[in-house]
mmCIF file of all heavy atoms in Angstrom:
data_model
loop_
_atom_site.group_PDB
_atom_site.id
_atom_site.type_symbol
_atom_site.label_atom_id
_atom_site.label_comp_id
_atom_site.label_asym_id
_atom_site.label_seq_id
_atom_site.Cartn_x
_atom_site.Cartn_y
_atom_site.Cartn_z
ATOM 1 N N ASN A 19 0.889 -1.218 -0.103
ATOM 2 C CA ASN A 19 -0.014 -0.021 0.017
ATOM 3 C C ASN A 19 0.788 1.274 -0.035
ATOM 4 O O ASN A 19 2.147 1.097 0.059
ATOM 5 C CB ASN A 19 -1.017 0.107 1.163
ATOM 6 C CG ASN A 19 -0.278 0.032 2.566
ATOM 7 O OD1 ASN A 19 0.925 0.382 2.672
ATOM 8 N ND2 ASN A 19 -0.906 -0.522 3.559
ATOM 9 N N LEU A 20 0.157 2.472 -0.189
ATOM 10 C CA LEU A 20 0.916 3.642 -0.243
ATOM 11 C C LEU A 20 1.854 3.910 0.876
ATOM 12 O O LEU A 20 3.040 4.358 0.651
ATOM 13 C CB LEU A 20 -0.130 4.859 -0.358
ATOM 14 C CG LEU A 20 0.438 6.177 -0.386
ATOM 15 C CD1 LEU A 20 1.458 6.528 -1.432
ATOM 16 C CD2 LEU A 20 -0.749 7.278 -0.514
ATOM 17 N N GLU A 21 1.396 3.619 2.188
ATOM 18 C CA GLU A 21 2.209 3.909 3.312
ATOM 19 C C GLU A 21 3.478 3.199 3.346
ATOM 20 O O GLU A 21 4.598 3.651 3.586
ATOM 21 C CB GLU A 21 1.452 3.648 4.673
ATOM 22 C CG GLU A 21 2.257 3.974 5.826
ATOM 23 C CD GLU A 21 1.439 3.829 7.129
ATOM 24 O OE1 GLU A 21 0.317 3.265 7.068
ATOM 25 O OE2 GLU A 21 1.791 4.334 8.148
ATOM 26 N N ARG A 22 3.396 1.892 2.998
ATOM 27 C CA ARG A 22 4.640 1.010 2.948
ATOM 28 C C ARG A 22 5.594 1.397 1.840
ATOM 29 O O ARG A 22 6.828 1.353 2.018
ATOM 30 C CB ARG A 22 4.286 -0.509 2.785
ATOM 31 C CG ARG A 22 5.407 -1.371 2.798
ATOM 32 C CD ARG A 22 5.137 -2.841 2.930
ATOM 33 N NE ARG A 22 6.298 -3.696 2.778
ATOM 34 C CZ ARG A 22 6.237 -5.089 2.901
ATOM 35 N NH1 ARG A 22 5.053 -5.670 2.997
ATOM 36 N NH2 ARG A 22 7.375 -5.710 2.830
ATOM 37 N N ILE A 23 5.075 1.723 0.692
ATOM 38 C CA ILE A 23 5.871 2.300 -0.393
ATOM 39 C C ILE A 23 6.667 3.437 -0.105
ATOM 40 O O ILE A 23 7.959 3.435 -0.339
ATOM 41 C CB ILE A 23 5.003 2.502 -1.667
ATOM 42 C CG1 ILE A 23 4.496 1.049 -2.341
ATOM 43 C CG2 ILE A 23 5.764 3.191 -2.832
ATOM 44 C CD1 ILE A 23 3.451 1.412 -3.350
ATOM 45 N N VAL A 24 5.984 4.482 0.465
ATOM 46 C CA VAL A 24 6.737 5.626 0.749
ATOM 47 C C VAL A 24 7.688 5.609 1.933
ATOM 48 O O VAL A 24 8.783 6.206 1.872
ATOM 49 C CB VAL A 24 5.671 6.781 0.976
ATOM 50 C CG1 VAL A 24 6.276 8.085 1.434
ATOM 51 C CG2 VAL A 24 4.849 7.039 -0.306
ATOM 52 N N THR A 25 7.306 4.790 2.930
ATOM 53 C CA THR A 25 8.233 4.595 4.077
ATOM 54 C C THR A 25 9.308 3.559 3.734
ATOM 55 O O THR A 25 10.271 3.660 4.696
ATOM 56 C CB THR A 25 7.507 4.160 5.300
ATOM 57 O OG1 THR A 25 6.814 3.059 5.073
ATOM 58 C CG2 THR A 25 6.456 5.354 5.626
ATOM 59 N N GLU A 26 9.334 2.887 2.703
ATOM 60 C CA GLU A 26 10.325 1.819 2.628
ATOM 61 C C GLU A 26 11.800 2.439 2.656
ATOM 62 O O GLU A 26 12.654 1.801 3.376
ATOM 63 C CB GLU A 26 10.131 1.226 1.191
ATOM 64 C CG GLU A 26 11.184 0.081 1.012
ATOM 65 C CD GLU A 26 10.819 -0.767 -0.259
ATOM 66 O OE1 GLU A 26 10.097 -0.158 -1.049
ATOM 67 O OE2 GLU A 26 11.296 -1.863 -0.496
ATOM 68 N N PRO A 27 12.008 3.523 2.104
ATOM 69 C CA PRO A 27 13.474 4.084 2.292
ATOM 70 C C PRO A 27 13.809 4.272 3.776
ATOM 71 O O PRO A 27 14.994 4.043 4.158
ATOM 72 C CB PRO A 27 13.627 5.375 1.554
ATOM 73 C CG PRO A 27 12.536 5.198 0.422
ATOM 74 C CD PRO A 27 11.386 4.490 1.058
ATOM 75 N N LEU A 28 12.858 4.813 4.508
ATOM 76 C CA LEU A 28 13.147 4.997 5.995
ATOM 77 C C LEU A 28 13.302 3.728 6.648
ATOM 78 O O LEU A 28 14.147 3.646 7.585
ATOM 79 C CB LEU A 28 12.041 5.926 6.596
ATOM 80 C CG LEU A 28 11.829 7.230 6.066
ATOM 81 C CD1 LEU A 28 10.628 7.928 6.812
ATOM 82 C CD2 LEU A 28 13.157 8.090 6.501
ATOM 83 N N ALA A 29 12.501 2.720 6.375
ATOM 84 C CA ALA A 29 12.655 1.454 6.971
ATOM 85 C C ALA A 29 14.055 0.705 6.647
ATOM 86 O O ALA A 29 14.565 0.051 7.627
ATOM 87 C CB ALA A 29 11.445 0.536 6.529
ATOM 88 N N VAL A 30 14.496 1.019 5.506
ATOM 89 C CA VAL A 30 15.799 0.421 5.225
ATOM 90 C C VAL A 30 16.884 0.956 6.003
ATOM 91 O O VAL A 30 17.808 0.383 6.433
ATOM 92 C CB VAL A 30 16.021 0.531 3.728
ATOM 93 C CG1 VAL A 30 17.486 0.219 3.440
ATOM 94 C CG2 VAL A 30 15.126 -0.326 2.784
ATOM 95 N N LEU A 31 16.799 2.464 6.193
ATOM 96 C CA LEU A 31 17.749 3.130 6.992
ATOM 97 C C LEU A 31 17.721 2.670 8.480
ATOM 98 O O LEU A 31 18.665 2.638 9.132
ATOM 99 C CB LEU A 31 17.612 4.593 6.838
ATOM 100 C CG LEU A 31 18.066 5.185 5.374
ATOM 101 C CD1 LEU A 31 17.598 6.640 5.477
ATOM 102 C CD2 LEU A 31 19.395 5.035 5.197
ATOM 103 N N GLY A 32 16.455 2.411 8.987
ATOM 104 C CA GLY A 32 16.298 1.873 10.408
ATOM 105 C C GLY A 32 16.647 2.810 11.387
ATOM 106 O O GLY A 32 16.911 2.332 12.523
ATOM 107 N N ASP A 33 16.566 3.990 11.259
ATOM 108 C CA ASP A 33 16.856 5.020 12.334
ATOM 109 C C ASP A 33 15.645 5.858 12.678
ATOM 110 O O ASP A 33 15.789 6.832 13.414
ATOM 111 C CB ASP A 33 17.980 5.872 11.898
ATOM 112 C CG ASP A 33 17.699 6.805 10.746
ATOM 113 O OD1 ASP A 33 16.631 6.508 10.081
ATOM 114 O OD2 ASP A 33 18.583 7.619 10.324
ATOM 115 N N LYS A 34 14.422 5.342 12.331
ATOM 116 C CA LYS A 34 13.227 6.138 12.776
ATOM 117 C C LYS A 34 12.273 5.271 13.453
ATOM 118 O O LYS A 34 12.197 4.072 13.078
ATOM 119 C CB LYS A 34 12.535 6.833 11.572
ATOM 120 C CG LYS A 34 13.440 7.797 10.758
ATOM 121 C CD LYS A 34 13.757 9.059 11.662
ATOM 122 C CE LYS A 34 14.699 10.055 10.726
ATOM 123 N NZ LYS A 34 14.984 11.166 11.609
ATOM 124 N N THR A 35 11.573 5.771 14.301
ATOM 125 C CA THR A 35 10.439 4.966 14.942
ATOM 126 C C THR A 35 9.202 4.899 14.083
ATOM 127 O O THR A 35 9.018 5.651 13.249
ATOM 128 C CB THR A 35 10.026 5.551 16.303
ATOM 129 O OG1 THR A 35 9.448 6.848 16.079
ATOM 130 C CG2 THR A 35 11.275 5.691 17.390
ATOM 131 N N PRO A 36 8.292 3.917 14.248
ATOM 132 C CA PRO A 36 7.137 3.904 13.433
ATOM 133 C C PRO A 36 6.355 5.096 13.480
ATOM 134 O O PRO A 36 5.693 5.602 12.419
ATOM 135 C CB PRO A 36 6.307 2.638 13.920
ATOM 136 C CG PRO A 36 7.371 1.729 14.498
ATOM 137 C CD PRO A 36 8.519 2.748 15.144
ATOM 138 N N SER A 37 6.052 5.766 14.707
ATOM 139 C CA SER A 37 5.387 6.940 14.702
ATOM 140 C C SER A 37 6.066 8.159 13.954
ATOM 141 O O SER A 37 5.358 8.953 13.263
ATOM 142 C CB SER A 37 5.163 7.432 16.153
ATOM 143 O OG SER A 37 6.531 7.637 16.813
ATOM 144 N N ASP A 38 7.331 8.165 14.032
ATOM 145 C CA ASP A 38 8.059 9.267 13.315
ATOM 146 C C ASP A 38 8.073 9.039 11.789
ATOM 147 O O ASP A 38 7.703 9.919 11.010
ATOM 148 C CB ASP A 38 9.566 9.235 13.613
ATOM 149 C CG ASP A 38 9.916 9.750 15.000
ATOM 150 O OD1 ASP A 38 9.021 10.458 15.486
ATOM 151 O OD2 ASP A 38 10.942 9.430 15.601
ATOM 152 N N MET A 39 7.992 7.759 11.350
ATOM 153 C CA MET A 39 7.965 7.450 9.939
ATOM 154 C C MET A 39 6.533 7.871 9.379
ATOM 155 O O MET A 39 6.333 8.300 8.260
ATOM 156 C CB MET A 39 8.148 5.936 9.618
ATOM 157 C CG MET A 39 9.763 5.577 9.729
ATOM 158 S SD MET A 39 10.084 3.971 9.034
ATOM 159 C CE MET A 39 9.176 2.871 10.172
ATOM 160 N N ARG A 40 5.490 7.557 10.247
ATOM 161 C CA ARG A 40 4.132 7.839 9.777
ATOM 162 C C ARG A 40 3.965 9.442 9.695
ATOM 163 O O ARG A 40 3.329 9.852 8.781
ATOM 164 C CB ARG A 40 2.982 7.291 10.729
ATOM 165 C CG ARG A 40 1.681 7.467 10.244
ATOM 166 C CD ARG A 40 0.672 6.629 11.275
ATOM 167 N NE ARG A 40 -0.595 6.701 10.616
ATOM 168 C CZ ARG A 40 -1.083 5.855 9.726
ATOM 169 N NH1 ARG A 40 -0.326 4.885 9.302
ATOM 170 N NH2 ARG A 40 -2.338 5.918 9.318
ATOM 171 N N LEU A 41 4.465 10.040 10.596
ATOM 172 C CA LEU A 41 4.376 11.569 10.619
ATOM 173 C C LEU A 41 5.164 12.128 9.326
ATOM 174 O O LEU A 41 4.680 12.952 8.695
ATOM 175 C CB LEU A 41 4.941 12.209 11.868
ATOM 176 C CG LEU A 41 4.951 13.687 11.873
ATOM 177 C CD1 LEU A 41 3.553 14.353 11.695
ATOM 178 C CD2 LEU A 41 5.523 14.235 13.244
ATOM 179 N N MET A 42 6.374 11.598 9.093
ATOM 180 C CA MET A 42 7.113 11.973 7.846
ATOM 181 C C MET A 42 6.455 11.614 6.620
ATOM 182 O O MET A 42 6.404 12.446 5.668
ATOM 183 C CB MET A 42 8.533 11.463 7.953
ATOM 184 C CG MET A 42 9.399 11.861 9.090
ATOM 185 S SD MET A 42 11.104 11.119 9.117
ATOM 186 C CE MET A 42 11.689 11.763 7.665
ATOM 187 N N THR A 43 5.677 10.646 6.593
ATOM 188 C CA THR A 43 5.030 10.150 5.335
ATOM 189 C C THR A 43 3.884 11.054 5.227
ATOM 190 O O THR A 43 3.516 11.589 3.965
ATOM 191 C CB THR A 43 4.525 8.682 5.564
ATOM 192 O OG1 THR A 43 5.632 7.936 5.775
ATOM 193 C CG2 THR A 43 3.708 8.308 4.222
ATOM 194 N N GLN A 44 3.145 11.508 6.213
ATOM 195 C CA GLN A 44 1.944 12.320 6.118
ATOM 196 C C GLN A 44 2.384 13.782 5.614
ATOM 197 O O GLN A 44 1.773 14.362 4.815
ATOM 198 C CB GLN A 44 1.293 12.438 7.394
ATOM 199 C CG GLN A 44 0.560 11.187 7.828
ATOM 200 C CD GLN A 44 0.053 11.350 9.201
ATOM 201 O OE1 GLN A 44 0.464 12.215 10.077
ATOM 202 N NE2 GLN A 44 -0.994 10.362 9.597
ATOM 203 N N ASN A 45 3.582 14.209 6.094
ATOM 204 C CA ASN A 45 4.178 15.494 5.691
ATOM 205 C C ASN A 45 4.584 15.490 4.314
ATOM 206 O O ASN A 45 4.170 16.421 3.465
ATOM 207 C CB ASN A 45 5.323 15.949 6.546
ATOM 208 C CG ASN A 45 4.837 16.336 7.918
ATOM 209 O OD1 ASN A 45 3.721 16.603 8.186
ATOM 210 N ND2 ASN A 45 5.833 16.151 8.876
ATOM 211 N N VAL A 46 5.177 14.377 3.846
ATOM 212 C CA VAL A 46 5.650 14.390 2.407
ATOM 213 C C VAL A 46 4.446 14.261 1.433
ATOM 214 O O VAL A 46 4.417 14.589 0.241
ATOM 215 C CB VAL A 46 6.654 13.241 2.207
ATOM 216 C CG1 VAL A 46 5.997 11.889 2.077
ATOM 217 C CG2 VAL A 46 7.538 13.401 0.942
ATOM 218 N N LEU A 47 3.405 13.542 1.898
ATOM 219 C CA LEU A 47 2.162 13.544 1.043
ATOM 220 C C LEU A 47 1.594 14.770 0.755
ATOM 221 O O LEU A 47 1.049 15.132 -0.246
ATOM 222 C CB LEU A 47 1.119 12.470 1.642
ATOM 223 C CG LEU A 47 1.464 10.986 1.659
ATOM 224 C CD1 LEU A 47 0.385 10.124 2.205
ATOM 225 C CD2 LEU A 47 1.709 10.399 0.157
ATOM 226 N N ASP A 48 1.540 15.487 1.844
ATOM 227 C CA ASP A 48 0.994 16.953 1.822
ATOM 228 C C ASP A 48 1.827 17.668 0.829
ATOM 229 O O ASP A 48 1.360 18.552 -0.030
ATOM 230 C CB ASP A 48 1.134 17.661 3.212
ATOM 231 C CG ASP A 48 0.148 17.090 4.047
ATOM 232 O OD1 ASP A 48 -0.787 16.455 3.721
ATOM 233 O OD2 ASP A 48 0.293 17.187 5.416
ATOM 234 N N ALA A 49 3.148 17.555 0.706
ATOM 235 C CA ALA A 49 3.997 18.262 -0.075
ATOM 236 C C ALA A 49 3.916 17.984 -1.545
ATOM 237 O O ALA A 49 3.963 18.840 -2.357
ATOM 238 C CB ALA A 49 5.450 18.044 0.252
ATOM 239 N N VAL A 50 3.540 16.667 -1.839
ATOM 240 C CA VAL A 50 3.291 16.345 -3.289
ATOM 241 C C VAL A 50 1.754 16.338 -3.621
ATOM 242 O O VAL A 50 1.471 15.923 -4.787
ATOM 243 C CB VAL A 50 3.831 14.965 -3.576
ATOM 244 C CG1 VAL A 50 5.338 14.811 -3.249
ATOM 245 C CG2 VAL A 50 3.115 13.853 -2.816
ATOM 246 N N GLY A 51 1.010 16.777 -2.846
ATOM 247 C CA GLY A 51 -0.424 16.959 -3.087
ATOM 248 C C GLY A 51 -1.343 15.646 -3.063
ATOM 249 O O GLY A 51 -2.359 15.509 -3.826
ATOM 250 N N LEU A 52 -0.998 14.802 -2.271
ATOM 251 C CA LEU A 52 -1.778 13.486 -2.032
ATOM 252 C C LEU A 52 -2.277 13.554 -0.649
ATOM 253 O O LEU A 52 -1.945 14.313 0.275
ATOM 254 C CB LEU A 52 -0.847 12.269 -2.165
ATOM 255 C CG LEU A 52 -0.254 11.963 -3.562
ATOM 256 C CD1 LEU A 52 0.748 10.833 -3.407
ATOM 257 C CD2 LEU A 52 -1.390 11.689 -4.555
ATOM 258 N N ARG A 53 -3.542 12.875 -0.579
ATOM 259 C CA ARG A 53 -4.320 13.053 0.741
ATOM 260 C C ARG A 53 -3.753 11.823 1.788
ATOM 261 O O ARG A 53 -3.265 10.728 1.414
ATOM 262 C CB ARG A 53 -5.724 12.674 0.441
ATOM 263 C CG ARG A 53 -6.446 13.785 -0.445
ATOM 264 C CD ARG A 53 -7.881 13.308 -0.733
ATOM 265 N NE ARG A 53 -7.862 12.107 -1.406
ATOM 266 C CZ ARG A 53 -9.110 11.500 -1.953
ATOM 267 N NH1 ARG A 53 -10.272 12.169 -1.692
ATOM 268 N NH2 ARG A 53 -8.970 10.259 -2.596
ATOM 269 N N ARG A 54 -3.842 12.315 2.994
ATOM 270 C CA ARG A 54 -3.322 11.415 3.983
ATOM 271 C C ARG A 54 -4.280 10.189 4.138
ATOM 272 O O ARG A 54 -3.909 9.138 4.669
ATOM 273 C CB ARG A 54 -3.300 12.107 5.365
ATOM 274 C CG ARG A 54 -2.299 13.224 5.428
ATOM 275 C CD ARG A 54 -2.183 13.918 6.759
ATOM 276 N NE ARG A 54 -1.158 15.013 6.813
ATOM 277 C CZ ARG A 54 -0.657 15.476 7.979
ATOM 278 N NH1 ARG A 54 -1.178 15.058 9.097
ATOM 279 N NH2 ARG A 54 0.177 16.488 7.816
ATOM 280 N N THR A 55 -5.474 10.338 3.673
ATOM 281 C CA THR A 55 -6.516 9.228 3.904
ATOM 282 C C THR A 55 -6.187 8.173 2.822
ATOM 283 O O THR A 55 -6.804 7.224 2.851
ATOM 284 C CB THR A 55 -7.889 9.684 3.626
ATOM 285 O OG1 THR A 55 -7.951 10.612 2.390
ATOM 286 C CG2 THR A 55 -8.283 10.730 4.827
ATOM 287 N N ASP A 56 -5.258 8.411 1.853
ATOM 288 C CA ASP A 56 -4.871 7.532 0.905
ATOM 289 C C ASP A 56 -3.838 6.511 1.220
ATOM 290 O O ASP A 56 -3.421 5.685 0.471
ATOM 291 C CB ASP A 56 -4.327 8.199 -0.442
ATOM 292 C CG ASP A 56 -5.470 8.905 -1.158
ATOM 293 O OD1 ASP A 56 -6.703 8.560 -0.878
ATOM 294 O OD2 ASP A 56 -5.139 9.915 -1.854
ATOM 295 N N LEU A 57 -3.380 6.534 2.553
ATOM 296 C CA LEU A 57 -2.288 5.700 2.882
ATOM 297 C C LEU A 57 -2.485 4.234 2.877
ATOM 298 O O LEU A 57 -1.574 3.420 2.642
ATOM 299 C CB LEU A 57 -1.948 6.079 4.468
ATOM 300 C CG LEU A 57 -1.103 7.363 4.748
ATOM 301 C CD1 LEU A 57 -1.044 7.610 6.231
ATOM 302 C CD2 LEU A 57 0.225 7.334 3.992
ATOM 303 N N GLY A 58 -3.706 3.772 2.984
ATOM 304 C CA GLY A 58 -4.081 2.450 2.829
ATOM 305 C C GLY A 58 -4.404 1.844 1.413
ATOM 306 O O GLY A 58 -4.521 0.592 1.282
ATOM 307 N N LYS A 59 -4.374 2.726 0.514
ATOM 308 C CA LYS A 59 -4.633 2.361 -0.874
ATOM 309 C C LYS A 59 -3.433 1.770 -1.573
ATOM 310 O O LYS A 59 -2.308 1.971 -1.262
ATOM 311 C CB LYS A 59 -5.225 3.567 -1.746
ATOM 312 C CG LYS A 59 -6.504 4.077 -1.166
ATOM 313 C CD LYS A 59 -7.022 5.255 -1.995
ATOM 314 C CE LYS A 59 -8.365 5.809 -1.691
ATOM 315 N NZ LYS A 59 -8.659 6.849 -2.640
ATOM 316 N N TYR A 60 -3.752 1.046 -2.644
ATOM 317 C CA TYR A 60 -2.756 0.315 -3.493
ATOM 318 C C TYR A 60 -2.470 1.004 -4.707
ATOM 319 O O TYR A 60 -3.315 1.836 -5.258
ATOM 320 C CB TYR A 60 -3.118 -1.111 -3.718
ATOM 321 C CG TYR A 60 -2.885 -1.948 -2.372
ATOM 322 C CD1 TYR A 60 -4.047 -1.947 -1.351
ATOM 323 C CD2 TYR A 60 -1.901 -2.674 -2.108
ATOM 324 C CE1 TYR A 60 -4.010 -2.661 -0.199
ATOM 325 C CE2 TYR A 60 -1.862 -3.344 -0.851
ATOM 326 C CZ TYR A 60 -2.820 -3.377 0.046
ATOM 327 O OH TYR A 60 -2.728 -4.033 1.254
ATOM 328 N N PRO A 61 -1.359 0.707 -5.480
ATOM 329 C CA PRO A 61 -1.086 1.537 -6.663
ATOM 330 C C PRO A 61 -2.129 1.495 -7.691
ATOM 331 O O PRO A 61 -2.371 2.357 -8.420
ATOM 332 C CB PRO A 61 0.194 0.809 -7.235
ATOM 333 C CG PRO A 61 0.921 0.382 -5.948
ATOM 334 C CD PRO A 61 -0.237 -0.085 -5.088
ATOM 335 N N HIS A 62 -2.876 0.275 -7.860
ATOM 336 C CA HIS A 62 -3.851 0.234 -8.864
ATOM 337 C C HIS A 62 -5.050 1.237 -8.678
ATOM 338 O O HIS A 62 -5.880 1.434 -9.608
ATOM 339 C CB HIS A 62 -4.394 -1.188 -9.084
ATOM 340 C CG HIS A 62 -5.239 -1.523 -7.964
ATOM 341 N ND1 HIS A 62 -4.790 -2.164 -6.792
ATOM 342 C CD2 HIS A 62 -6.574 -1.639 -7.812
ATOM 343 C CE1 HIS A 62 -5.720 -2.494 -5.961
ATOM 344 N NE2 HIS A 62 -6.858 -2.100 -6.576
ATOM 345 N N GLU A 63 -5.088 1.803 -7.494
ATOM 346 C CA GLU A 63 -6.206 2.679 -7.245
ATOM 347 C C GLU A 63 -5.835 4.164 -7.630
ATOM 348 O O GLU A 63 -6.639 5.135 -7.352
ATOM 349 C CB GLU A 63 -6.582 2.598 -5.718
ATOM 350 C CG GLU A 63 -7.073 1.224 -5.313
ATOM 351 C CD GLU A 63 -7.434 1.044 -3.885
ATOM 352 O OE1 GLU A 63 -8.467 1.565 -3.526
ATOM 353 O OE2 GLU A 63 -6.526 0.485 -3.149
ATOM 354 N N PHE A 64 -4.666 4.280 -8.174
ATOM 355 C CA PHE A 64 -4.224 5.717 -8.510
ATOM 356 C C PHE A 64 -4.055 5.936 -9.983
ATOM 357 O O PHE A 64 -3.817 4.850 -10.641
ATOM 358 C CB PHE A 64 -2.905 6.001 -7.691
ATOM 359 C CG PHE A 64 -2.962 6.046 -6.281
ATOM 360 C CD1 PHE A 64 -2.760 4.918 -5.581
ATOM 361 C CD2 PHE A 64 -3.457 7.236 -5.614
ATOM 362 C CE1 PHE A 64 -2.780 4.925 -4.213
ATOM 363 C CE2 PHE A 64 -3.499 7.209 -4.236
ATOM 364 C CZ PHE A 64 -3.246 6.116 -3.554
ATOM 365 N N SER A 65 -4.303 7.161 -10.493
ATOM 366 C CA SER A 65 -3.851 7.387 -11.839
ATOM 367 C C SER A 65 -2.341 7.400 -12.080
ATOM 368 O O SER A 65 -1.662 7.410 -11.134
ATOM 369 C CB SER A 65 -4.593 8.716 -12.238
ATOM 370 O OG SER A 65 -3.889 9.767 -11.550
ATOM 371 N N GLY A 66 -1.992 7.553 -13.423
ATOM 372 C CA GLY A 66 -0.541 7.617 -13.686
ATOM 373 C C GLY A 66 0.135 8.840 -13.108
ATOM 374 O O GLY A 66 1.239 8.710 -12.551
#
């Protein structure tokens, strides 16, 4: 899903807590114009 895709680089680095990663994900979604409510959606549910 969207949350796992976006947080994967942070998970690989392994220096952030789950709550920190979720907050950073929400902030970066705001920056690129995506909704926080989309975190549970999968790629096929989005346009190109």
